[in-house]
Amino acid sequence: MPSAEDDKLRILIVDDHALFRRGIEMVLSKEPDVEVAGEAADGHEAVEKAQELIPDVVLMDVRMPGQTGIEATREIHALMPTTKILMLTVSDEEADLYEAIKAGASGYLLKEIPTDEVPEAIRSVVAGQSRISPAMASKLLNEFSTMSKRGEQLSGVPRLTERELEVLRLMARGLNNRDIARDLFIAENTVKNHVRNILEKLHLHSRMEAVIYAVQENLLELERRPAPE
């Protein structure tokens, strides 16, 4: 008969600051369904520990000496695609966000978030959701606005329905399926179907990739265009 320990989510903490690792470990130690399986101080060690420990989630810093968190994310995602990687960093650079998501990260959180939000973020990425700090979601939308003002629109983008564009816009704000369903007054399962359709049309693998793609391709601008008369 499996023990309660078997049901816990195993976490690998990757950060080059030992004090920060201790702090996150203390936060997670209070959660009955989470355990810290191990720690790493740089990207190379993270890849080694991930293969050794087989964690459910890797909490990954972005900027570390030697191999960066983004490089490590790319390697771990290729070797262990079922392991979720959640970036936890001070970097609020859009370029780091884009590269992390392309490397396979399921979320991007800034270290300025309250520490008690970390356990919930872990649970949400395990459940298939993606997490992004509101500040980073705002940066995405600001980038979209800048692109719109420049009149940038790349050709050949797939056509999304009006409802899919609504869902995509709310995804870009960092909302999960439940919150999107509430905002649009539709069932959560309907939101899941829309997200699946969006990913299929854009040939992407995660909702975070869809948000990045939407900003880069200026897809959200389609939602704001007036209907032809």
Side-chain angles (χ1 to χ4, degrees):
M1 182 175 179
S3 66
E5 293 293 318
D6 296 328
D7 296 329
K8 289 189 175 183
L9 299 175
R10 292 167 51 78
I11 312 302
L12 174 62
I13 304 172
V14 184
D15 196 285
D16 58 328
H17 293 96
L19 187 60
F20 182 78
R21 297 198 304 270
R22 292 288 89 74
I24 292 297
E25 183 177 11
M26 289 178 62
V27 170
L28 297 182
S29 68
K30 301 175 183 178
E31 303 298 319
D33 59 336
V34 175
E35 68 171 349
V36 176
E39 302 176 8
D42 59 45
H44 288 296
E45 188 179 7
V47 176
E48 294 176 358
K49 287 290 184 69
Q51 294 178 84
E52 173 190 345
L53 301 172
I54 318 295
D56 296 295
V57 177
V58 179
L59 289 179
M60 182 78 76
D61 193 11
V62 170
R63 298 179 181 177
M64 296 179 288
Q67 188 179 46
T68 69
I70 292 174
E71 292 168 340
T73 294
R74 189 175 294 110
E75 285 195 39
I76 294 172
H77 184 64
L79 292 167
M80 308 163 59
T82 60
T83 293
K84 304 295 184 181
I85 304 173
L86 181 60
M87 313 308 288
L88 187 56
T89 177
V90 298
S91 174
D92 61 355
E93 298 293 329
E94 293 96 327
D96 285 337
L97 170 62
Y98 295 157
E99 290 303 314
I101 301 308
K102 287 193 291 185
S106 295
Y108 196 101
L109 299 178
L110 299 180
K111 288 181 178 178
E112 64 189 28
I113 69 167
T115 53
D116 58 5
E117 291 186 16
V118 175
E120 182 55 35
I122 288 172
R123 297 184 188 100
S124 66
V125 297
V126 170
Q129 298 286 332
S130 296
R131 292 297 291 264
I132 180 171
S133 287
M136 295 307 294
S138 296
K139 282 180 175 288
L140 287 177
L141 294 177
N142 287 339
E143 176 66 13
F144 148 66
S145 177
T146 300
M147 293 170 64
S148 297
K149 290 176 182 177
R150 290 199 302 258
E152 295 181 7
Q153 178 69 47
L154 302 184
S155 60
V157 296
R159 184 171 182 80
L160 301 181
T161 67
E162 181 178 352
R163 179 62 86 186
E164 288 166 351
L165 287 166
E166 289 178 325
V167 171
L168 185 55
R169 178 173 57 82
L170 294 175
M171 287 166 58
R173 287 173 48 197
L175 273 64
N176 59 30
N177 287 353
R178 182 177 61 253
D179 292 336
I180 292 174
R182 186 189 62 233
D183 277 24
L184 297 181
F185 303 101
I186 57 179
E188 188 172 344
N189 281 338
T190 302
V191 175
K192 291 179 181 179
N193 290 335
H194 285 312
V195 172
R196 185 179 64 248
N197 291 338
I198 291 169
L199 296 181
E200 288 178 354
K201 287 184 177 181
L202 302 182
H203 304 292
L204 300 172
H205 301 98
S206 74
R207 58 196 291 138
M208 284 300 296
E209 285 186 356
V211 172
I212 301 300
Y213 183 94
V215 172
Q216 292 178 331
E217 301 285 305
N218 204 14
L219 279 182
L220 299 184
E221 175 63 10
L222 298 176
E223 184 184 14
R224 299 188 179 184
R225 290 180 178 174
E229 297 181 357

